[in-house]
Amino acid sequence: MDTTSAIAFRSAVTPGEVLGLFRHVPGGLTKADVVRHTGLSRTTVNQRIDGLLTAGLLIPAPEDARTRGRPAGQFVVNRERGVLLVADVGATGLRTGLCDLGGTVRLEREAVADVTTGPDAVLSLIDGLFVDMLTEAGHTAADVLGVGIDVPGPVDFTSGRVVSPPIMTGWDRYDIPGWFTSRYDCPVVVDKDVNAMALAEHRLRYPDVAHLLMVKAGTGIGTGLIASGQIHRGADGAAGDVGHIQVTVDDVDAPPLCRCGNAGCVEAYAGGWALVRDLQAEGRDVTTVNDVVRLVRSGDLVAVRLARRAARILGGAIADAVNMFNPRVIAIGGQLAHTDEQLFAGIREVVYRRSLPLATRNLQIVRSELDPLAGILGLAQLLVDGIYAPQRVQELIDRAG
Ligand SMILES: [Zn+2]
Protein backbone atom coordinates (compact mmCIF):
# COMPACT_ATOMS: atom_id res chain seq x y z
CA MET A 1 0.00 0.00 0.00
CA ASP A 2 1.53 3.36 -0.99
CA THR A 3 1.27 6.41 1.27
CA THR A 4 -1.71 7.97 -0.54
CA SER A 5 -3.90 4.88 -0.35
CA ALA A 6 -2.84 4.28 3.27
CA ILE A 7 -4.14 7.75 4.16
CA ALA A 8 -7.34 7.14 2.18
CA PHE A 9 -7.82 3.84 4.01
CA ARG A 10 -7.28 5.47 7.40
CA SER A 11 -9.82 8.21 6.90
CA ALA A 12 -12.28 5.64 5.55
CA VAL A 13 -12.44 3.69 8.82
CA THR A 14 -15.86 4.79 9.98
CA PRO A 15 -17.33 4.42 13.47
CA GLY A 16 -19.39 1.54 12.03
CA GLU A 17 -16.25 -0.26 10.90
CA VAL A 18 -14.63 0.33 14.29
CA LEU A 19 -17.76 -1.11 15.96
CA GLY A 20 -17.63 -4.04 13.54
CA LEU A 21 -14.20 -5.00 14.95
CA PHE A 22 -15.81 -5.59 18.35
CA ARG A 23 -18.63 -7.68 16.97
CA HIS A 24 -16.84 -11.02 16.88
CA VAL A 25 -14.59 -10.52 19.93
CA PRO A 26 -16.60 -11.55 23.01
CA GLY A 27 -13.77 -10.61 25.42
CA GLY A 28 -13.55 -7.07 24.08
CA LEU A 29 -10.81 -4.85 22.66
CA THR A 30 -8.75 -2.00 24.10
CA LYS A 31 -8.11 1.30 22.31
CA ALA A 32 -4.58 0.06 21.57
CA ASP A 33 -6.08 -3.05 19.90
CA VAL A 34 -8.19 -0.79 17.68
CA VAL A 35 -5.16 1.37 16.75
CA ARG A 36 -3.31 -1.81 15.77
CA HIS A 37 -6.22 -3.25 13.72
CA THR A 38 -7.16 -0.06 11.84
CA GLY A 39 -3.95 1.94 11.54
CA LEU A 40 -5.91 4.96 12.78
CA SER A 41 -4.18 7.48 15.05
CA ARG A 42 -4.77 7.22 18.79
CA THR A 43 -6.67 10.54 18.69
CA THR A 44 -9.04 9.31 16.01
CA VAL A 45 -9.59 6.02 17.84
CA ASN A 46 -10.43 7.98 21.00
CA GLN A 47 -12.95 10.03 19.00
CA ARG A 48 -14.54 6.97 17.40
CA ILE A 49 -14.83 5.07 20.68
CA ASP A 50 -16.16 8.11 22.54
CA GLY A 51 -18.88 8.46 19.89
CA LEU A 52 -19.77 4.78 20.20
CA LEU A 53 -19.83 5.02 24.01
CA THR A 54 -22.06 8.12 23.94
CA ALA A 55 -24.44 6.37 21.56
CA GLY A 56 -24.48 3.42 23.95
CA LEU A 57 -23.26 1.05 21.25
CA LEU A 58 -20.09 0.16 23.18
CA ILE A 59 -19.70 -0.24 26.95
CA PRO A 60 -16.68 -0.90 29.19
CA ALA A 61 -16.14 -4.66 29.53
CA PRO A 62 -17.80 -6.02 32.68
CA GLU A 63 -15.58 -6.59 35.71
CA ASP A 64 -15.59 -10.37 35.60
CA ALA A 65 -13.96 -10.37 32.17
CA ARG A 66 -11.07 -8.27 33.46
CA THR A 67 -10.38 -10.29 36.56
CA ARG A 68 -9.60 -13.30 34.38
CA GLY A 69 -6.27 -11.77 33.47
CA ARG A 70 -7.41 -9.59 30.59
CA PRO A 71 -5.92 -6.10 30.34
CA ALA A 72 -7.96 -3.21 31.76
CA GLY A 73 -9.56 -0.64 29.45
CA GLN A 74 -11.45 -3.12 27.31
CA PHE A 75 -14.72 -2.32 25.60
CA VAL A 76 -17.44 -4.65 24.37
CA VAL A 77 -20.53 -4.33 22.21
CA ASN A 78 -23.60 -3.31 24.22
CA ARG A 79 -26.05 -6.05 23.33
CA GLU A 80 -28.68 -4.41 25.53
CA ARG A 81 -28.57 -1.08 23.64
CA GLY A 82 -31.97 -1.90 22.14
CA VAL A 83 -34.08 -4.80 20.99
CA LEU A 84 -35.03 -6.46 17.71
CA LEU A 85 -38.53 -7.75 16.97
CA VAL A 86 -38.91 -10.65 14.55
CA ALA A 87 -41.76 -12.78 13.21
CA ASP A 88 -41.61 -16.00 11.22
CA VAL A 89 -44.91 -16.37 9.35
CA GLY A 90 -45.92 -19.83 8.17
CA ALA A 91 -48.96 -20.98 6.22
CA THR A 92 -50.88 -22.01 9.34
CA GLY A 93 -48.98 -20.56 12.29
CA LEU A 94 -46.43 -17.97 13.28
CA ARG A 95 -43.68 -17.41 15.81
CA THR A 96 -42.38 -14.09 17.13
CA GLY A 97 -39.23 -13.25 19.01
CA LEU A 98 -37.65 -10.40 20.95
CA CYS A 99 -33.87 -10.47 20.49
CA ASP A 100 -30.87 -8.57 21.82
CA LEU A 101 -28.34 -6.91 19.52
CA GLY A 102 -26.25 -10.08 19.48
CA GLY A 103 -29.18 -11.86 17.83
CA THR A 104 -29.99 -13.97 20.91
CA VAL A 105 -33.70 -14.69 21.35
CA ARG A 106 -34.78 -13.39 24.78
CA LEU A 107 -38.53 -13.98 24.50
CA GLU A 108 -40.68 -15.83 22.02
CA ARG A 109 -44.36 -16.37 21.33
CA GLU A 110 -46.27 -18.79 19.11
CA ALA A 111 -49.73 -18.42 17.59
CA VAL A 112 -52.03 -20.26 15.25
CA ALA A 113 -52.70 -18.04 12.23
CA ASP A 114 -54.02 -18.74 8.77
CA VAL A 115 -51.96 -16.68 6.35
CA THR A 116 -54.88 -16.53 3.92
CA THR A 117 -56.80 -14.29 6.34
CA GLY A 118 -54.70 -11.50 4.81
CA PRO A 119 -52.08 -8.97 5.91
CA ASP A 120 -54.19 -6.83 8.25
CA ALA A 121 -55.31 -9.74 10.43
CA VAL A 122 -51.90 -11.43 10.48
CA LEU A 123 -49.80 -8.27 11.01
CA SER A 124 -52.16 -7.07 13.78
CA LEU A 125 -51.75 -10.43 15.52
CA ILE A 126 -47.95 -10.15 15.19
CA ASP A 127 -47.90 -6.62 16.57
CA GLY A 128 -50.05 -7.69 19.51
CA LEU A 129 -47.39 -10.29 20.34
CA PHE A 130 -44.60 -7.69 19.81
CA VAL A 131 -46.25 -5.30 22.28
CA ASP A 132 -46.78 -8.14 24.73
CA MET A 133 -43.08 -9.14 24.57
CA LEU A 134 -41.90 -5.52 24.86
CA THR A 135 -44.01 -5.08 27.99
CA GLU A 136 -42.72 -8.30 29.54
CA ALA A 137 -39.11 -7.29 28.79
CA GLY A 138 -39.64 -3.78 30.23
CA HIS A 139 -39.06 -2.03 26.88
CA THR A 140 -41.04 0.41 24.77
CA ALA A 141 -41.39 0.92 21.02
CA ALA A 142 -38.59 3.54 21.25
CA ASP A 143 -36.09 0.76 22.15
CA VAL A 144 -36.79 -1.19 18.97
CA LEU A 145 -33.86 -0.90 16.55
CA GLY A 146 -35.10 -3.31 13.90
CA VAL A 147 -38.17 -5.27 12.83
CA GLY A 148 -37.85 -8.41 10.70
CA ILE A 149 -40.67 -10.41 9.11
CA ASP A 150 -40.38 -13.56 7.02
CA VAL A 151 -43.17 -15.03 4.93
CA PRO A 152 -43.83 -18.27 3.03
CA GLY A 153 -43.74 -16.69 -0.42
CA PRO A 154 -41.56 -14.82 -2.93
CA VAL A 155 -40.38 -11.41 -1.71
CA ASP A 156 -38.96 -8.47 -3.62
CA PHE A 157 -36.30 -7.85 -0.96
CA THR A 158 -35.60 -4.22 -1.90
CA SER A 159 -39.20 -3.06 -1.44
CA GLY A 160 -40.12 -5.69 1.18
CA ARG A 161 -43.23 -6.61 -0.78
CA VAL A 162 -44.54 -10.10 -1.41
CA VAL A 163 -44.95 -10.75 -5.13
CA SER A 164 -47.67 -13.05 -6.56
CA PRO A 165 -47.51 -15.49 -3.64
CA PRO A 166 -49.30 -18.76 -4.47
CA ILE A 167 -50.66 -19.31 -0.95
CA MET A 168 -50.82 -15.80 0.54
CA THR A 169 -54.22 -14.57 -0.59
CA GLY A 170 -54.54 -10.78 -0.34
CA TRP A 171 -50.81 -10.16 0.24
CA ASP A 172 -49.72 -9.42 -3.34
CA ARG A 173 -47.57 -6.23 -3.28
CA TYR A 174 -48.80 -5.36 0.22
CA ASP A 175 -46.53 -2.81 1.91
CA ILE A 176 -45.43 -4.81 4.98
CA PRO A 177 -42.56 -2.39 5.90
CA GLY A 178 -44.99 0.55 5.72
CA TRP A 179 -47.36 -1.16 8.16
CA PHE A 180 -44.58 -1.43 10.79
CA THR A 181 -42.76 1.88 10.19
CA SER A 182 -45.95 3.67 11.25
CA ARG A 183 -45.48 1.95 14.65
CA TYR A 184 -41.69 1.64 15.03
CA ASP A 185 -39.09 4.24 14.06
CA CYS A 186 -36.54 1.77 12.70
CA PRO A 187 -35.65 -0.25 9.60
CA VAL A 188 -38.05 -3.07 8.67
CA VAL A 189 -36.72 -6.08 6.75
CA VAL A 190 -38.96 -8.58 4.94
CA ASP A 191 -37.59 -11.79 3.44
CA LYS A 192 -38.67 -15.23 2.28
CA ASP A 193 -38.88 -17.64 5.25
CA VAL A 194 -36.38 -20.14 3.92
CA ASN A 195 -33.78 -17.41 3.23
CA ALA A 196 -33.88 -16.46 6.91
CA MET A 197 -33.60 -20.14 7.87
CA ALA A 198 -30.61 -20.62 5.54
CA LEU A 199 -28.82 -17.63 7.07
CA ALA A 200 -29.39 -18.97 10.59
CA GLU A 201 -27.98 -22.41 9.68
CA HIS A 202 -24.95 -20.80 8.07
CA ARG A 203 -24.17 -18.29 10.83
CA LEU A 204 -25.02 -20.40 13.87
CA ARG A 205 -24.33 -23.99 12.82
CA TYR A 206 -22.03 -23.94 9.79
CA PRO A 207 -20.09 -20.64 9.88
CA ASP A 208 -17.19 -22.22 7.97
CA VAL A 209 -19.44 -23.54 5.19
CA ALA A 210 -19.70 -20.86 2.49
CA HIS A 211 -22.16 -22.76 0.27
CA LEU A 212 -25.27 -24.14 1.93
CA LEU A 213 -28.70 -25.18 0.73
CA MET A 214 -31.64 -24.96 3.12
CA VAL A 215 -34.75 -26.95 2.27
CA LYS A 216 -38.05 -26.27 4.00
CA ALA A 217 -40.44 -29.15 3.53
CA GLY A 218 -43.65 -28.06 5.20
CA THR A 219 -47.04 -27.23 3.78
CA GLY A 220 -45.16 -26.12 0.66
CA ILE A 221 -41.58 -26.67 -0.43
CA GLY A 222 -38.93 -23.97 -0.66
CA THR A 223 -35.18 -23.64 -0.65
CA GLY A 224 -32.82 -20.90 0.43
CA LEU A 225 -29.26 -20.59 -0.83
CA ILE A 226 -26.16 -19.35 0.94
CA ALA A 227 -23.53 -18.65 -1.73
CA SER A 228 -20.07 -17.45 -0.72
CA GLY A 229 -21.43 -16.77 2.78
CA GLN A 230 -24.31 -14.54 1.61
CA ILE A 231 -28.01 -15.14 0.96
CA HIS A 232 -28.40 -15.61 -2.78
CA ARG A 233 -31.78 -14.06 -3.63
CA GLY A 234 -31.21 -13.88 -7.38
CA ALA A 235 -32.00 -10.96 -9.69
CA ASP A 236 -35.60 -10.57 -8.47
CA GLY A 237 -35.76 -12.48 -5.19
CA ALA A 238 -37.10 -15.60 -6.88
CA ALA A 239 -34.00 -17.84 -6.49
CA GLY A 240 -34.45 -21.29 -5.01
CA ASP A 241 -38.08 -21.90 -5.84
CA VAL A 242 -37.63 -25.64 -6.42
CA GLY A 243 -41.17 -26.37 -5.23
CA HIS A 244 -42.50 -25.23 -8.59
CA ILE A 245 -40.11 -27.10 -10.86
CA GLN A 246 -42.21 -29.42 -13.01
CA VAL A 247 -41.43 -33.14 -12.84
CA THR A 248 -42.56 -36.25 -14.64
CA VAL A 249 -43.63 -39.14 -12.44
CA ASP A 250 -43.87 -42.62 -14.03
CA ASP A 251 -46.99 -43.99 -12.36
CA VAL A 252 -49.10 -40.84 -12.82
CA ASP A 253 -51.33 -40.28 -15.86
CA ALA A 254 -52.59 -36.75 -15.21
CA PRO A 255 -50.16 -34.51 -13.29
CA PRO A 256 -51.85 -33.00 -10.20
CA LEU A 257 -52.74 -29.30 -10.14
CA CYS A 258 -50.45 -27.08 -8.09
CA ARG A 259 -51.36 -24.10 -5.92
CA CYS A 260 -49.40 -21.90 -8.33
CA GLY A 261 -51.82 -22.70 -11.16
CA ASN A 262 -49.51 -25.05 -13.09
CA ALA A 263 -49.64 -28.83 -12.97
CA GLY A 264 -47.03 -31.41 -12.00
CA CYS A 265 -44.84 -29.19 -9.77
CA VAL A 266 -42.58 -30.86 -7.19
CA GLU A 267 -44.81 -29.36 -4.49
CA ALA A 268 -47.98 -30.80 -6.06
CA TYR A 269 -46.57 -34.27 -5.27
CA ALA A 270 -44.27 -33.75 -2.31
CA GLY A 271 -45.58 -30.71 -0.40
CA GLY A 272 -47.42 -31.27 2.88
CA TRP A 273 -50.68 -30.00 1.36
CA ALA A 274 -50.36 -32.55 -1.49
CA LEU A 275 -49.83 -35.39 0.98
CA VAL A 276 -52.94 -34.30 2.90
CA ARG A 277 -54.89 -34.39 -0.41
CA ASP A 278 -53.55 -37.83 -1.40
CA LEU A 279 -54.14 -39.37 2.03
CA GLN A 280 -57.69 -38.00 2.13
CA ALA A 281 -58.27 -39.60 -1.29
CA GLU A 282 -57.10 -42.89 0.24
CA GLY A 283 -59.71 -42.49 2.99
CA ARG A 284 -57.33 -41.47 5.78
CA ASP A 285 -58.53 -39.02 8.43
CA VAL A 286 -56.01 -36.18 7.96
CA THR A 287 -56.49 -32.42 7.71
CA THR A 288 -53.07 -30.92 8.56
CA VAL A 289 -49.44 -31.58 7.73
CA ASN A 290 -48.88 -32.63 11.33
CA ASP A 291 -51.58 -35.30 10.85
CA VAL A 292 -49.56 -36.57 7.88
CA VAL A 293 -46.38 -36.70 9.96
CA ARG A 294 -48.18 -38.62 12.73
CA LEU A 295 -49.61 -41.12 10.24
CA VAL A 296 -46.20 -41.74 8.63
CA ARG A 297 -44.55 -42.19 12.02
CA SER A 298 -47.27 -44.64 13.09
CA GLY A 299 -46.23 -46.85 10.16
CA ASP A 300 -49.45 -46.55 8.11
CA LEU A 301 -48.48 -48.33 4.89
CA VAL A 302 -50.16 -45.89 2.50
CA ALA A 303 -48.73 -42.89 4.31
CA VAL A 304 -45.24 -44.41 4.30
CA ARG A 305 -45.49 -45.22 0.59
CA LEU A 306 -46.59 -41.66 -0.25
CA ALA A 307 -43.90 -40.15 1.99
CA ARG A 308 -41.24 -42.25 0.26
CA ARG A 309 -42.47 -41.17 -3.14
CA ALA A 310 -42.49 -37.53 -1.98
CA ALA A 311 -38.91 -37.93 -0.75
CA ARG A 312 -37.75 -39.35 -4.10
CA ILE A 313 -39.42 -36.52 -6.04
CA LEU A 314 -38.01 -33.89 -3.69
CA GLY A 315 -34.64 -35.66 -3.87
CA GLY A 316 -34.71 -35.33 -7.66
CA ALA A 317 -35.20 -31.57 -7.44
CA ILE A 318 -32.48 -31.30 -4.80
CA ALA A 319 -30.11 -33.39 -6.98
CA ASP A 320 -30.58 -30.87 -9.79
CA ALA A 321 -29.86 -28.06 -7.33
CA VAL A 322 -26.72 -29.88 -6.17
CA ASN A 323 -25.47 -30.19 -9.76
CA MET A 324 -26.19 -26.54 -10.39
CA PHE A 325 -24.94 -25.11 -7.14
CA ASN A 326 -22.55 -27.57 -5.42
CA PRO A 327 -23.39 -26.88 -1.75
CA ARG A 328 -21.28 -28.40 1.05
CA VAL A 329 -24.26 -28.80 3.41
CA ILE A 330 -27.96 -29.36 2.76
CA ALA A 331 -30.04 -28.66 5.88
CA ILE A 332 -33.62 -29.91 5.82
CA GLY A 333 -36.31 -28.41 8.05
CA GLY A 334 -40.08 -27.92 8.08
CA GLN A 335 -42.75 -30.21 9.47
CA LEU A 336 -42.09 -33.02 6.98
CA ALA A 337 -38.50 -33.31 8.27
CA HIS A 338 -40.13 -34.93 11.30
CA THR A 339 -41.21 -37.94 9.26
CA ASP A 340 -37.60 -38.97 9.94
CA GLU A 341 -36.00 -41.75 7.99
CA GLN A 342 -38.55 -41.96 5.18
CA LEU A 343 -37.75 -38.44 4.05
CA PHE A 344 -34.00 -38.41 4.64
CA ALA A 345 -33.31 -41.88 3.20
CA GLY A 346 -35.31 -41.10 0.06
CA ILE A 347 -33.60 -37.75 -0.50
CA ARG A 348 -30.09 -39.10 0.15
CA GLU A 349 -30.61 -42.06 -2.18
CA VAL A 350 -31.66 -39.89 -5.14
CA VAL A 351 -29.15 -37.08 -4.51
CA TYR A 352 -26.17 -39.47 -4.34
CA ARG A 353 -27.35 -41.40 -7.40
CA ARG A 354 -28.15 -38.41 -9.61
CA SER A 355 -25.58 -35.80 -8.64
CA LEU A 356 -22.00 -35.68 -9.89
CA PRO A 357 -19.42 -37.50 -7.72
CA LEU A 358 -17.37 -34.32 -7.34
CA ALA A 359 -20.43 -32.51 -5.96
CA THR A 360 -21.34 -35.25 -3.44
CA ARG A 361 -17.82 -36.20 -2.28
CA ASN A 362 -17.97 -33.88 0.74
CA LEU A 363 -21.71 -33.22 0.78
CA GLN A 364 -23.58 -33.52 4.08
CA ILE A 365 -27.37 -33.87 4.13
CA VAL A 366 -28.53 -33.05 7.66
CA ARG A 367 -31.63 -32.22 9.64
CA SER A 368 -31.94 -28.56 10.62
CA GLU A 369 -31.16 -28.45 14.33
CA LEU A 370 -32.40 -24.87 14.62
CA ASP A 371 -35.85 -25.62 13.24
CA PRO A 372 -38.44 -24.42 14.32
CA LEU A 373 -36.49 -21.37 15.56
CA ALA A 374 -34.39 -21.04 12.38
CA GLY A 375 -36.64 -18.36 10.88
CA ILE A 376 -36.55 -15.92 13.80
CA LEU A 377 -32.85 -16.57 14.43
CA GLY A 378 -32.03 -15.81 10.79
CA LEU A 379 -34.11 -12.62 10.81
CA ALA A 380 -32.26 -11.49 13.93
CA GLN A 381 -28.94 -12.05 12.11
CA LEU A 382 -30.17 -9.98 9.15
CA LEU A 383 -31.18 -7.14 11.48
CA VAL A 384 -27.90 -7.29 13.42
CA ASP A 385 -26.03 -6.91 10.11
CA GLY A 386 -28.12 -3.80 9.47
CA ILE A 387 -27.25 -2.31 12.88
CA TYR A 388 -23.53 -2.61 12.09
CA ALA A 389 -23.87 -0.95 8.69
CA PRO A 390 -21.69 2.21 8.79
CA GLN A 391 -24.56 4.53 7.85
CA ARG A 392 -26.84 3.14 10.56
CA VAL A 393 -24.15 3.41 13.24
CA GLN A 394 -23.55 7.03 12.21
CA GLU A 395 -27.32 7.69 12.51
CA LEU A 396 -27.38 6.29 16.06
CA ILE A 397 -24.32 8.36 16.99
CA ASP A 398 -25.90 11.51 15.49
CA ARG A 399 -29.13 10.92 17.42
CA ALA A 400 -27.18 10.55 20.68
CA GLY A 401 -24.97 13.58 20.02
ZN1 LIG B 1 -46.44 -25.00 -8.61
Side-chain angles (χ1 to χ4, degrees), residues 65-66 186 228 243 277 316 320 365 392:
R66 282 190 219 147
C186 66
S228 305
R277 176 202 60 202
D320 291 345
I365 301 177
R392 178 97 171 110

Side-chain angles (χ1 to χ4, degrees), residues 16 24 32 49 88 106 122 139 161 186 211 237 275 326 355 373:
H24 303 292
I49 289 185
D88 172 36
R106 300 289 189 186
V122 173
H139 285 285
R161 288 172 196 247
C186 66
H211 306 286
L275 293 174
N326 187 200
S355 303
L373 293 180

Side-chain angles (χ1 to χ4, degrees), residues 326-398:
N326 187 200
R328 175 71 74 244
V329 167
I330 299 174
I332 302 176
Q335 287 142 293
L336 289 180
H338 299 283
T339 54
D340 282 319
E341 271 323 295
Q342 276 79 8
L343 188 78
F344 283 84
I347 290 173
R348 283 198 185 97
E349 180 207 318
V350 179
V351 170
Y352 286 108
R353 182 157 47 80
R354 287 194 25 194
S355 303
L356 299 169
L358 181 61
T360 52
R361 198 172 51 179
N362 297 309
L363 176 67
Q364 296 179 60
I365 301 177
V366 300
R367 177 197 307 280
S368 164
E369 288 172 32
L370 300 174
D371 194 32
L373 293 180
I376 59 172
L377 288 167
L379 286 170
Q381 292 291 320
L382 265 181
L383 293 175
V384 171
D385 289 350
I387 303 260
Y388 286 88
Q391 199 188 334
R392 178 97 171 110
V393 170
Q394 192 59 56
E395 258 174 49
L396 293 170
I397 289 173
D398 292 345

Side-chain angles (χ1 to χ4, degrees), residues 136 168 297 399:
E136 183 178 332
M168 296 174 69
R297 291 177 71 107
R399 276 193 208 183

